[in-house]
Amino acid sequence: MSGSSDLTLVQRLGRLAGDASIETLPEEVVASVPQRVLDIVGISVRATTLDTSAAVLGLVEDDGGRAAATVIGLADRVPAAAAAFANGVLAHSLDYDDTHLPSILHPSASVVPASLAAAELSGASGAATLAAIAAGLEITVRLGMAGFDPDANDGVGQSIYFEHGQHATSMCGAIGSAASASVLLGGTRDEPAHAMAVAASMASGIIEANRTGGTVKRIHCGWAAQAGVTAARLVRAGLTGAPTALEGRFGFFEAFLRDEWIEAAVVDGLGDTWSVGDIFYKPYPANHFTHAGIDAARRLRAGGLRPEQVVRAHLGVATPTVRTIGEPLELKQRPETGYQAQFSGPYTVAAALCGGSGLGFGLADVTDVMAHDPERLALAARITVGGDTHCDDIYPSQFAAVLTVETTDGRTLIEEVLVNRGGPDDPLSDGELMAKFTDNTDDLLSPSDAEA
């Protein structure tokens, strides 16, 4: 972006958001955003069935307020920030939302709900909404990549946010959502920067629940979306943010990353190179670290392997992911709820070997009832998880897996999956994305509403 060398980081990102249009965006970005909106809306519809969603929707409904925006699952309209919160919670609650690698964050689950709420409040056009979403996603990804250290874990690479226990998805998503919302609410050329700077003070989220349980992570993208809309509206009303809110001595990066953040990840190719089309869709409603293991199990099942033939199995994955899907092992082998099952390497492999639903492992596999299925638990108890050097070499550009199975007839079967399904190297087809949407909305929307 020419002429931007004297601008601060939020100012440069703000110009990106303000200047984005479907006429100037790359074709692949313009094509990608509607698919991401469809994906998020479908996930959100299905997530209305969760107990945690009922709690959130009830809270939003009770708060009432000026009718401004629509919440999926509520008949009455609610204030835009509340709609962004509720829809952001729904979007992330099934762990089915898209993922950017190698930053390991979920951009759409906050940016899309925030943008839709802001667009509905302001009456923005579809074209403007598409461009704002694209800019918000790009900003979110770049902030996430600023915290990616390729030399961490002895050269394996890792998100510094993650290492610090921080949820980059919600933290970076709050700032990206603010940029999108500010543009859609009619902000002046300087307002997206101020909105992002204000949202930087609202950014938060810790990820301990990934390891040891609790459903609090489901609300993180809701808080981020709400923060984005709220920040943008406050700036419209006259509030301002620090121009160096990101890179300043007491700014976002210093607070969360100390001296480890990478400025080049934020600014290199800004406005010319876009990451939106490269964000990975999730074919399975489970933590993304489990997906290659699911695919390895699916391939072995397709080759004739059945659960009763498995004496023992070992799931090799990138070492930094073991703590999320393999530790503590006794909990991962016996998840207590469907939600815990979504973060279990042993359970997801067992479910896929037993014959999963959906695109190979679906919503029917992560109910509380299925999490207690005796056949799956018996198989999961025979599955261990550990670090694999080959997977380490690829991580986190891909979340690879090597599944080794010893069978009752004395064979040792090894299945490697080095590329994640749903990413640029193994994309989901339009038909598969529609099948995912249909699976999410089946029995919850009428055929005509789903088509609309």
Side-chain angles (χ1 to χ4, degrees), residues 35 39 96 280-284 359 420-434 436:
Q35 292 179 320
D39 192 45
Y96 216 175
F280 288 57
Y281 289 101
K282 275 189 170 183
Y284 314 123
L359 296 178
N420 286 107
R421 186 182 182 195
D425 297 322
D426 187 10
L428 295 182
S429 67
D430 290 344
E432 288 173 322
L433 285 170
M434 186 54 67
K436 176 181 174 180

Side-chain angles (χ1 to χ4, degrees), residues 207-247:
I207 52 174
E208 179 63 14
N210 270 12
R211 295 184 63 254
T212 55
T215 54
V216 63
K217 181 175 159 294
R218 287 177 170 173
I219 70 169
H220 286 183
C221 289
W223 284 126
Q226 176 178 264
V229 172
T230 301
R233 296 195 70 194
L234 287 170
V235 168
R236 288 258 71 198
L239 198 72
T240 58
T244 53
L246 293 178
E247 73 272 32

Side-chain angles (χ1 to χ4, degrees), residues 313-327:
H314 180 75
L315 178 64
V317 293
T319 303
T321 71
V322 174
R323 58 191 169 185
T324 300
I325 66 169
E327 295 176 352

Side-chain angles (χ1 to χ4, degrees), residues 330-337 341 344 346-347 350-351 354 368-383:
E330 58 275 13
L331 176 61
K332 300 301 180 180
Q333 290 176 328
R334 290 193 68 85
E336 296 176 358
T337 64
S344 165
Y347 175 84
C354 289
D368 289 347
V369 171
M370 290 309 298
H372 291 93
D373 177 67
E375 181 185 23
R376 297 184 179 200
L377 291 181
L379 180 54
R382 306 196 296 273
I383 301 171

